[in-house]
Amino acid sequence: MSKQPVAVKDILGYKFLSSLVASPDKKKVAFVVSECDEVKNSYSSYVYLMDLASRELRRMTNMGNEATVFWLNDETLLFPSNRDEALEQRKKQGEEWTCYYALKINGGEACEYMRIPKNVSAIKLVDSNRFAFIADYNLVRKDLCTYEPEEQENLLQRYREQEGSYLVADEIPFRQNGPGLTNNLRSRLYLFDRSNSSLQAISAETENVGFFNVKNNRIIYSPKHFRKGEPKIFQGGLSIYDVDSQVLHEYVDDSTYRMRYCGFIQDRPVFMGSKGERYYYQENPFFYYIDELRGKEVLFAENELSTENSIGSDVRYGSSAHILTDDQYLYYLSTINNHGHLMRVDLEGRFTKMTLEGGSVDGIALGENEIIMVAMRGNRLQELYSLKDGKEERLTSFNEWVQTDCTLSTAIEISFENDGVMLDGMVLPPVNHKKGEAAPCILDIHGGHKCAYGTVFFQEMQIWANLGYYVIFCNPRGSDGRDNEFFEITGKYGLDDYSDILKFVEVCTESFPDIDSDKMGVTGGSYGGFLTNWIIGHIEQFKCAVSQRSISSWATMFLNSDTSYQFPMYQPDSDIWDNIESYWNHSPLKYADKCTTPTLFLHSDEDYRCPVSEAVQMFTALKYNGIESRLCVFKGENHELSRSGKPKNRINRLNEMTAWFEKYLK
């Protein structure tokens, strides 16, 4: 059987791995496998189990709505599921419930284990009966579950009447990408006791809690105060709550660090935090522990490199743990050049790079004698891998059909220099290309800006390579993968990064003479959409462009983005009243009247990170100036359309982009 080109609808066959967790005895791992459901236009998710000694793999659930999983004990899994139609109907009417089912791994049906009267977003086991979790808390509704049932219903009816016809906002931001309208909502930390169904709030009602961990009946978490009349802050504090003594210790205020993680090495509290004094709020964090006797944080490891995996791909769905601790180390993911690696650090500040293979580590679990990873290697989509003594073993073959059935292009890594800085780029040659034949080319620009492109499988790029295009992409200054100084481009948007990209295009056309320089297109999303808009207003080199979830005006971003004023301020380092000239000079909209490039704009109507008005402004400006352009707005989608949007919309997006390039470059 001959291989077939990678096609748009192949997304319907991809498997996405997430929620990887090891059992308490570290002898098994559970995880979730998700896939597109074209008929329902959604995703189906199933729990899987692997015995690490035998490598036996089993699917444990069949309902298709088990999006996360965790361990109750070595023999029992817990997962939230929607199996009670009456409960679901009540939730639709405004009640708050999360129902958890228990499943014995050695046999039997899943049975309802507990109902927590809140909409849980993250949960961890404290002991056999108590659970710590984060859930929405509404400042107006309070905790409805504390009222008697009849009073609950009366209150719900009143809230439905008040909220049904119009929106009231009295804080910023009042909406966020993904969650939607968030006025009066906080992410609150709770403790639930299953033995008596009691619910206890741990964090204050004015606080947002983004992450937490539990060990030996102690809950460590990072609270951020978010009060009326005060814009939401990026910084976070650090507190520890002792479940047994009910004593709360507040060790770090929420005005010093941007917190990235908190947990325990042995019983010592540790956290990752950046002060932003040198490189603003995206500064890579240092590592600290808490001296509980003195009540102070102690720096144990300085760090200049990334502490997250920023390697982009459009074939992920869901997530797994990317930072974990044991009795000796803190393990975390890091972007190093154009690969996502696993690192660890001990309390003496000694760093070790754990992975040697290139690609992307997307999640980790700590086994008994090995580390289990969700990873992407070569042109493979996500699979489970074992890492032991520096050697990797692939454990699953969920997406092996892509290797056996599809024609694939392999990225060629290249290095080049611009302004005295060494940079990395990649070239994906056309599939079955005959040397000496000219081929069109697409420049693809990543989002971020503090993200990176790597050599991993990227469906849109493979589709275009199979259609006969060179696809070129690089990591200009501002990208992740290097030190703080490299990604810091405050006040330089459209300058250093733009210069690097143009140099990269020049290097590619010189190094790959079959690239037809008269048939080049450009695309990018988010920050890549900003640069796409910037490019078409400054040069006529590209015959067409596709601008995705883009930025066209920093002034309108300042007042419309869900980041409130903070991210837009990061670019000109001032607000619009102090320095409107800088906002305008760095805005692609200023140069739209110079544009001659036919441009397709793709945006989502519920994108609150880069609001749809950004695309509308640029589209209208091009139309006003007589430039061929097209605007596609995807209903009910947000900033994550290309990564987790509804399957049909993801397919339509790829079809629109590909048709635009085919029209102007073929």
Side-chain angles (χ1 to χ4, degrees):
M1 179 179 173
S2 61
K3 292 187 176 184
Q4 301 297 313
V6 176
V8 171
K9 281 206 166 187
D10 284 349
I11 191 175
L12 300 175
Y14 298 155
K15 302 293 190 295
F16 312 103
L17 280 57
S18 64
S19 196
L20 175 66
V21 282
S23 58
D25 63 9
K26 299 185 178 182
K27 295 181 179 180
K28 300 170 285 292
V29 290
F31 58 102
V32 170
V33 178
S34 301
E35 58 190 15
C36 294
D37 186 325
E38 186 178 21
V39 175
K40 295 181 180 179
N41 196 24
S42 62
Y43 297 85
S44 296
S45 301
Y46 307 92
V47 174
Y48 278 73
L49 177 75
M50 175 172 282
D51 183 286
L52 296 181
S54 65
R55 303 306 201 210
E56 178 189 5
L57 180 68
R58 287 186 286 156
R59 190 169 102 174
M60 304 298 293
T61 62
N62 295 298
M63 293 292 290
N65 59 11
E66 300 87 20
T68 62
V69 63
F70 66 105
W71 292 87
L72 177 65
N73 52 52
D74 290 329
E75 305 300 328
T76 310
L77 294 169
L78 289 180
F79 52 85
S81 190
N82 304 324
R83 303 187 179 194
D84 187 324
E85 292 185 7
L87 182 65
E88 279 304 294
Q89 185 60 35
R90 285 157 56 190
K91 287 187 71 172
K92 291 178 181 179
Q93 294 173 353
E95 282 193 22
E96 295 181 320
W97 287 98
T98 305
C99 190
Y100 285 90
Y101 285 76
L103 178 63
K104 297 287 186 181
I105 64 173
N106 294 320
E109 294 292 325
C111 300
E112 183 177 326
Y113 182 76
M114 62 182 177
R115 293 186 185 185
I116 297 178
K118 297 292 292 181
N119 293 326
V120 178
S121 59
I123 188 168
K124 293 182 185 294
L125 182 71
V126 176
D127 56 32
S128 59
N129 277 313
R130 294 180 293 186
F131 300 81
F133 68 90
I134 294 174
D136 285 343
Y137 175 80
N138 191 305
L139 292 173
V140 174
R141 294 186 177 191
K142 308 291 183 180
D143 283 321
L144 276 174
C145 57
T146 60
Y147 295 93
E148 293 298 321
E150 184 177 346
E151 192 173 2
Q152 278 189 48
E153 180 55 38
N154 292 334
L155 288 169
L156 271 174
Q157 181 61 33
R158 191 198 326 162
Y159 295 144
R160 283 194 290 264
E161 292 172 356
Q162 291 173 345
E163 298 168 0
S165 57
Y166 64 99
L167 163 71
V168 174
D170 58 2
E171 60 189 28
I172 57 171
F174 65 90
R175 59 183 187 177
Q176 293 185 38
N177 188 71
L181 300 176
T182 56
N183 198 75
N184 287 320
L185 288 184
R186 303 293 182 266
S187 295
R188 200 170 188 185
L189 181 64
Y190 290 88
L191 182 69
F192 179 75
D193 191 328
R194 178 176 176 267
S195 64
N196 55 21
S197 297
S198 64
L199 187 71
Q200 175 190 350
I202 297 174
S203 61
E205 68 172 9
T206 59
E207 293 176 335
N208 273 322
V209 177
F211 48 85
F212 70 103
N213 270 297
V214 178
K215 189 170 185 179
N216 295 336
N217 291 4
R218 293 204 297 168
I219 305 170
I220 186 170
Y221 66 98
S222 178
K224 305 176 185 181
H225 284 283
F226 183 15
R227 303 179 181 91
K228 297 285 184 181
E230 299 177 6
K232 185 179 179 182
I233 59 174
F234 277 111
Q235 292 89 347
L238 188 138
S239 299
I240 297 177
Y241 179 77
D242 189 296
V243 174
D244 294 328
S245 67
Q246 299 184 9
V247 174
L248 175 67
H249 293 281
E250 299 176 351
Y251 288 106
V252 180
D253 62 42
D254 66 350
S255 61
T256 304
Y257 298 96
R258 186 182 185 195
M259 292 286 182
R260 305 297 179 90
Y261 171 83
C262 58
F264 297 95
I265 297 180
Q266 294 181 344
D267 287 325
R268 178 166 288 180
V270 296
F271 70 89
M272 297 161 59
S274 55
K275 294 184 178 180
E277 294 172 341
R278 299 172 301 152
Y279 300 99
Y280 298 92
Y281 80 98
Q282 286 191 309
E283 182 177 85
N284 292 320
F286 286 178
F287 297 79
Y288 300 83
Y289 68 80
I290 298 295
D291 183 332
E292 294 185 84
L293 291 178
R294 295 164 56 203
K296 294 181 62 177
E297 69 269 27
V298 178
L299 173 68
F300 72 86
E302 294 186 355
N303 170 62
E304 288 294 317
L305 299 179
S306 168
T307 55
E308 56 190 338
N309 178 10
S310 300
I311 300 298
S313 179
D314 56 357
V315 287
R316 297 185 180 109
Y317 183 78
S319 62
S320 297
H322 54 93
I323 309 176
L324 292 174
T325 58
D326 61 15
D327 287 341
Q328 290 181 283
Y329 304 105
L330 187 154
Y331 300 83
Y332 64 97
L333 304 186
S334 177
T335 305
I336 302 176
N337 294 324
N338 51 352
H339 299 284
H341 285 283
L342 174 61
M343 298 285 293
R344 78 179 184 198
V345 62
D346 64 18
L347 289 172
E348 300 300 319
R350 294 175 293 218
F351 292 90
T352 304
K353 181 181 172 186
M354 303 295 290
T355 49
L356 302 177
E357 300 289 332
S360 173
V361 179
D362 295 346
I364 54 173
L366 303 180
E368 190 174 27
N369 298 303
E370 59 190 331
I371 298 173
I372 306 302
M373 309 183 299
V374 175
M376 301 172 72
R377 296 295 187 231
N379 267 329
R380 281 192 164 86
L381 282 76
Q382 288 180 327
E383 301 289 355
L384 279 194
Y385 290 80
S386 165
L387 175 67
K388 186 176 182 180
D389 300 326
K391 296 182 180 180
E392 293 186 17
E393 174 192 1
R394 181 164 56 86
L395 303 179
T396 61
S397 301
F398 289 105
N399 293 297
E400 190 64 14
W401 66 272
V402 178
Q403 307 300 308
T404 59
D405 298 351
C406 300
T407 54
L408 301 172
S409 179
T410 300
I412 301 169
E413 299 182 61
I414 62 174
S415 296
F416 63 101
E417 183 179 338
N418 189 41
D419 293 341
V421 180
M422 291 303 301
L423 300 160
D424 297 315
M426 287 135 283
V427 176
L428 205 64
V431 172
N432 299 324
H433 177 68
K434 294 181 180 179
K435 188 175 181 179
E437 291 187 358
C441 178
I442 298 172
L443 168 67
D444 205 326
I445 306 171
H446 68 65
H449 64 272
K450 196 174 181 285
C451 293
Y453 272 149
T455 58
V456 299
F457 185 96
F458 218 112
Q459 187 190 17
E460 66 184 41
M461 297 184 186
Q462 289 290 342
I463 289 170
W464 299 331
N466 272 273
L467 288 172
Y469 294 89
Y470 278 94
V471 186
I472 62 175
F473 43 104
C474 71
N475 295 320
R477 278 171 285 181
S479 303
D480 203 359
R482 305 283 190 89
D483 59 14
N484 282 307
E485 185 176 355
F486 183 82
F487 79 73
E488 175 51 45
I489 57 170
T490 301
K492 301 175 184 177
Y493 274 43
L495 301 178
D496 291 354
D497 46 4
Y498 172 62
S499 173
D500 291 344
I501 285 174
L502 293 189
K503 182 64 176 179
F504 173 63
V505 173
E506 178 186 326
V507 169
C508 288
T509 54
E510 291 175 352
S511 303
F512 296 84
D514 287 350
I515 291 178
D516 189 339
S517 57
D518 291 327
K519 293 183 179 180
M520 298 189 70
V522 58
T523 188
S526 196
Y527 163 74
F530 158 79
L531 276 176
T532 299
N533 290 346
W534 184 268
I535 284 170
I536 62 175
H538 284 78
I539 57 174
E540 299 179 1
Q541 182 174 359
F542 296 95
K543 300 304 177 186
C544 67
V546 179
S547 178
Q548 308 169 61
R549 57 190 186 279
S550 66
I551 297 167
S552 62
S553 168
W554 289 110
T556 50
M557 277 286 290
F558 180 89
L559 298 172
N560 283 290
S561 174
D562 71 350
T563 60
S564 187
Y565 64 88
Q566 291 184 310
F567 175 74
M569 258 186 81
Y570 174 79
Q571 160 49 28
D573 196 21
S574 63
D575 66 33
I576 57 174
W577 295 278
D578 285 339
N579 197 355
I580 189 63
E581 293 83 6
S582 179
Y583 275 78
W584 183 237
N585 290 338
H586 285 277
S587 294
L589 192 60
K590 175 180 177 179
Y591 311 97
D593 63 335
K594 307 295 191 299
C595 177
T596 61
T597 307
T599 303
L600 169 66
F601 294 92
L602 303 178
H603 224 102
S604 300
D605 65 349
E606 295 180 9
D607 186 339
Y608 301 140
R609 186 65 33 82
C610 299
V612 67
S613 55
E614 295 298 307
V616 171
Q617 290 178 101
M618 200 70 183
F619 165 74
T620 303
L622 264 59
K623 280 291 188 183
Y624 178 81
N625 285 285
I627 306 305
E628 182 64 27
S629 53
R630 176 180 171 89
L631 172 65
C632 299
V633 178
F634 291 85
K635 298 179 180 180
E637 299 289 358
N638 59 50
H639 200 66
E640 301 301 308
L641 166 63
S642 64
R643 297 178 282 261
S644 59
K646 298 179 183 67
K648 289 181 181 179
N649 281 338
R650 293 178 71 176
I651 289 170
N652 289 333
R653 168 188 168 271
L654 284 169
N655 282 330
E656 285 282 348
M657 295 173 69
T658 303
W660 194 259
F661 288 130
E662 291 281 271
K663 176 180 178 180
Y664 288 99
L665 301 181
K666 286 294 184 70

